[in-house]
Amino acid sequence: MVNDFLILMKQELVITLIIFVLLFVKLSNKDTKNETLINFVNILLALNLVSGFFMIREGNLFGDMFHTDELLTLEKNLLNLGTLIISLQSYNWLKDHKHMPEFYILMLSTLLGMFFMISSNNLLMFYLALELSTIPLAALANFDLEKRRSSEAAFKMIVSSAFSSGLLLFGISLVYGATGTLNFAALSTSFTSTPLNIFAFVLLIAGFGFKISAVPFHLWTADVYEGSPVPVTSYLSVISKGAILFVLVSVLYKVFTPLNESWYNMLFIISVLTMIIGNLFALRQQNMKRFLAFSSIAQVGFILIGITGQSAEGSASVIYFVLVYIFSNLAAFGVINLISATTGKENINDYKGFYKTNPRLSWVLAIALFSLGGIPPTAGFFGKFFLLLAGAGRGNYLLISIAALNMVISLYYYLRIIKAMFMDANENPIEDVKAGWSPKLAMIICVTGIIITGLASGAYQYIYSLVK
Amino acid sequence: MADIPISHILFVSTALFFIGMYGLFTRRNMITVLMSIEIILNSVNINFVVFNKYLYPDRLDGIFFTIFIITIAAAEAAVAIAIIINLYRSHRSIDVESAEEMKY
């Protein structure tokens, strides 16, 4: 029994261990060097990542509240990998920061919340985990305490996330009233498409829409991304979004199967709006972080197409795309993080002539943007290809052609940055930036990830075999 | 107790939900915005308790959920007020209009 507990929850337990160690270091008056602590956290995160590939078991805990199996362990591993990359990237920013332990405590609590959310098997557990993964994020957005924009971003984030969880909760309460149960397995059999249930479901989708920033609910995204410190922005745009997408797929496919038709139409409209509006707004952005915010909104539109597939391919393609998205978006954010931490420049115009001074960094950013845009040798192409393939399984070719058109538009703005970096002249370009070993390691992981997942098909095959 | 039909109580909770939503969109003071969110959460609490009491009196899921919502609402309010205090330090105001540096 104890053994079961230790093995089934091993990933959560390691994260909890790190949080407690940092808490006690912070509480004790000893002067521990920041570098030592960061390396300690990174090593434990890497160990957690490696251990996630061994001793995988399936089982339930806490009276069916917590469920885990091979697929869920893989999803947690992906999030863990992303957090490790972000932690490596923010080394330069954190090594002299006097609130370093708090940063990790908040970030790892949200990661813990996401792990529980992925494993949740009950609406109560799901709600608790969701709140654990969003409330500390608002505190993280305010991490630059003295900057005006940072606190503005945090306020927008906490209000919109509290409002969205209010909507979600009202939906959950109606679901409870209609069915009398909160357990996912019991819900999937007793949920029928009565008007009350559909209303509850609309509220639930609105709550989810806020968290993944799908279009009618995307207004907070750009402001929060721009105002937060860069590591927090990359965490928000990749890890937190990825976790909620994993949960959305499993909830839609396993729990709300009786409402298949209605959620198919809802996601169809939301994904078309998300792609078009995300792309059109991304065209006119000048700030790098804001630009990536809108590009990530557009990417969510593509992911929703994969979800509409309603098949094993749909689920596998979403997980595969999140893997690709972790590598490509974090490579882009890695460069932006480095430039922002050393020079404070964040505008696209500042990146003119970047290739002259920093050839290696500009290649990393270029590969990342090619992958986000979906150019063939990189992984991003295959990610989008599988998403559209899964969507085409339903035979809705209108949706697929809108998506294809949007991919063309998105290429324009990704190539605009590449043109600024490689072709445009600039009188005072960004000076030669020294990266240090830690961000370099993160970038090497990301670029090899982009190229290897693009050239070898093993990853998709593996995920597909797990989903089936 | 049993004299009050369930529809009356559901009417109160739904009304509270929309009052909270209206307050969230129209109020200009950040603390009042926070209070509107609490109203939304409390309407959910009423829903849970009523469904549990009237429809499923032999189980306790709804009551448990209410307790957790109250706890988390407190945590949320703590973080939000900390953020508002910090925002007041830099903006010298807790009016929503003052936090408008980032647009479009």
Side-chain angles (χ1 to χ4, degrees):
Chain A
M1 184 60 211
V2 177
N3 223 346
D4 250 18
F5 179 76
L6 286 180
I7 291 177
L8 287 177
M9 289 189 53
K10 60 181 185 294
Q11 288 162 306
E12 286 84 357
L13 287 173
V14 174
I15 302 291
T16 321
L17 176 80
I18 307 176
I19 294 174
F20 271 97
V21 168
L22 286 172
L23 199 61
F24 286 124
V25 167
K26 182 74 191 173
L27 287 178
S28 72
N29 285 323
K30 263 196 273 170
D31 279 334
T32 321
K33 279 179 88 180
N34 272 357
E35 280 95 334
T36 338
L37 273 181
I38 298 176
N39 289 335
F40 166 77
V41 173
N42 285 344
I43 288 168
L44 277 187
L45 279 176
L47 278 179
N48 200 13
L49 181 66
V50 174
S51 84
F53 288 103
F54 301 102
M55 303 256 283
I56 303 165
R57 286 228 242 123
E58 190 173 350
N60 288 0
L61 284 175
F62 306 121
D64 279 1
M65 284 252 180
F66 180 94
H67 170 80
T68 185
D69 58 24
E70 210 173 337
L71 180 69
L72 300 182
T73 313
L74 176 76
E75 291 178 351
K76 289 178 197 170
N77 261 337
L78 295 185
L79 300 181
N80 199 334
L81 170 71
T83 314
L84 177 63
I85 294 173
I86 291 172
S87 165
L88 287 171
Q89 282 171 353
S90 43
Y91 186 84
N92 288 353
W93 180 61
L94 283 174
K95 73 177 183 223
D96 302 317
H97 204 293
K98 67 173 190 257
H99 295 305
M100 192 281 295
E102 282 96 327
F103 178 80
Y104 275 110
I105 291 172
L106 290 171
M107 186 168 86
L108 294 174
S109 327
T110 63
L111 185 67
L112 188 66
M114 287 163 201
F115 283 4
F116 278 119
M117 185 164 67
I118 288 173
S119 277
S120 62
N121 204 18
N122 185 303
L123 280 172
L124 175 58
M125 183 73 191
F126 165 70
Y127 167 68
L128 287 177
L130 184 76
E131 290 296 318
L132 180 56
S133 68
T134 50
I135 296 176
L137 268 181
L140 270 182
N142 204 349
F143 212 70
D144 276 339
L145 283 174
E146 65 287 341
K147 279 198 187 140
R148 286 169 66 93
R149 290 184 170 215
S150 189
S151 40
E152 186 183 330
F155 180 72
K156 284 175 176 165
M157 167 118 198
I158 190 103
V159 168
S160 54
S161 76
F163 177 59
S164 72
S165 51
L167 290 180
L168 197 80
L169 275 175
F170 201 75
I172 292 176
S173 77
L174 293 182
V175 169
Y176 176 68
T179 60
T181 178
L182 294 168
N183 189 293
F184 281 176
L187 271 178
S188 65
T189 52
S190 54
F191 210 75
T192 48
S193 60
T194 57
L196 177 65
N197 279 345
I198 289 179
F199 179 56
F201 182 68
V202 169
L203 287 172
L204 284 174
I205 285 288
F208 272 111
F210 263 105
K211 309 278 179 191
I212 59 171
S213 60
V215 148
F217 322 105
H218 69 292
L219 292 162
W220 59 278
T221 318
D223 291 355
V224 172
Y225 282 21
E226 190 188 344
S228 315
V230 189
V232 180
T233 310
S234 48
Y235 190 78
L236 269 171
S237 77
V238 182
I239 312 294
S240 120
K241 205 171 261 184
I244 305 224
L245 281 166
F246 290 149
V247 179
L248 179 64
V249 174
S250 66
V251 166
L252 283 181
Y253 281 24
K254 284 182 193 139
V255 182
F256 293 111
T257 32
L259 290 182
N260 263 348
E261 275 314 305
S262 32
W263 70 248
Y264 176 76
N265 292 330
M266 258 188 242
L267 286 194
F268 171 54
I269 295 166
I270 293 178
S271 85
V272 169
L273 280 176
T274 310
M275 282 187 295
I276 292 175
I277 293 182
N279 273 333
L280 291 185
F281 275 87
L283 287 177
R284 55 192 282 257
Q285 297 306 320
Q286 290 306 319
N287 181 298
M288 252 341 220
K289 276 149 89 184
R290 231 177 145 74
F291 161 75
L292 279 172
F294 280 106
S295 108
S296 84
I297 292 176
Q299 306 275 358
V300 166
F302 289 108
I303 295 176
L304 290 179
I305 295 179
I307 299 180
T308 59
Q310 297 181 344
S311 54
E313 285 86 0
S315 186
S317 67
V318 171
I319 296 168
Y320 179 73
F321 189 82
V322 172
L323 169 70
V324 172
Y325 186 62
I326 284 177
F327 286 133
S328 30
N329 220 14
L330 285 185
F333 269 116
V335 177
I336 294 168
N337 194 350
L338 201 61
I339 302 298
S340 160
T342 46
T343 64
K345 290 179 178 168
E346 281 176 2
N347 281 335
I348 292 176
N349 285 338
D350 297 332
Y351 280 78
K352 281 182 181 168
F354 191 50
Y355 179 67
K356 290 257 162 50
T357 50
N358 297 284
R360 280 192 202 149
L361 284 181
S362 49
W363 272 112
V364 172
L365 190 53
I367 290 174
L369 291 174
F370 277 135
S371 177
L372 285 172
I375 304 233
T378 56
F381 169 73
F382 294 99
K384 288 216 172 112
F385 173 72
F386 287 127
L387 284 178
L388 294 193
L389 200 65
R394 285 276 306 209
N396 190 343
Y397 294 109
L398 176 66
L399 182 59
I400 306 301
S401 27
I402 294 173
L405 282 177
N406 272 294
M407 280 177 76
V408 179
I409 302 175
S410 73
L411 261 186
Y412 165 73
Y413 56 76
Y414 289 123
L415 290 179
R416 188 164 71 108
I417 294 177
I418 293 174
K419 171 178 167 284
M421 285 195 304
F422 284 87
M423 292 173 183
D424 288 355
N426 191 352
E427 270 144 37
N428 50 346
I430 296 165
E431 66 267 30
D432 192 5
V433 175
K434 291 273 175 294
W437 66 271
S438 184
K440 261 185 200 159
L441 179 63
M443 276 172 213
I444 291 169
I445 296 174
C446 288
V447 172
T448 46
I450 292 174
I451 292 168
I452 287 179
T453 40
L455 292 179
S457 61
Y460 182 76
Q461 299 284 354
Y462 177 61
I463 295 170
Y464 188 67
S465 71
L466 289 186
V467 173
K468 267 200 155 172
Chain B
M1 182 68 206
D3 295 334
I4 307 171
I6 186 168
S7 57
H8 288 200
I9 306 179
L10 287 185
F11 178 79
V12 171
S13 74
T14 314
L16 269 182
F17 181 77
F18 286 104
I19 290 170
M21 215 188 235
Y22 176 77
L24 183 79
F25 290 134
T26 53
R27 290 287 160 169
R28 288 280 155 262
N29 186 308
M30 286 179 183
I31 304 285
T32 332
V33 170
L34 209 64
M35 285 160 66
S36 314
I37 291 171
E38 298 290 318
I39 291 181
I40 293 181
L41 294 179
N42 281 336
S43 81
V44 177
N45 284 341
I46 295 176
N47 254 357
F48 268 116
V49 172
V50 162
F51 284 138
N52 200 340
K53 182 84 186 162
Y54 279 73
L55 301 179
Y56 314 104
D58 51 332
R59 270 170 283 176
L60 282 174
D61 298 0
I63 307 276
F64 282 146
F65 215 120
T66 310
I67 293 171
F68 280 111
I69 293 172
I70 293 171
T71 323
I72 285 183
E76 204 151 35
V79 173
I81 288 177
I83 288 169
I84 293 173
I85 290 173
N86 190 53
L87 191 135
Y88 178 75
R89 286 206 182 117
S90 55
H91 290 68
R92 288 284 141 204
S93 154
I94 52 166
D95 195 288
V96 175
E97 303 280 338
S98 69
E100 49 147 29
E101 232 167 89
M102 293 176 290
K103 276 187 191 166
Y104 314 114

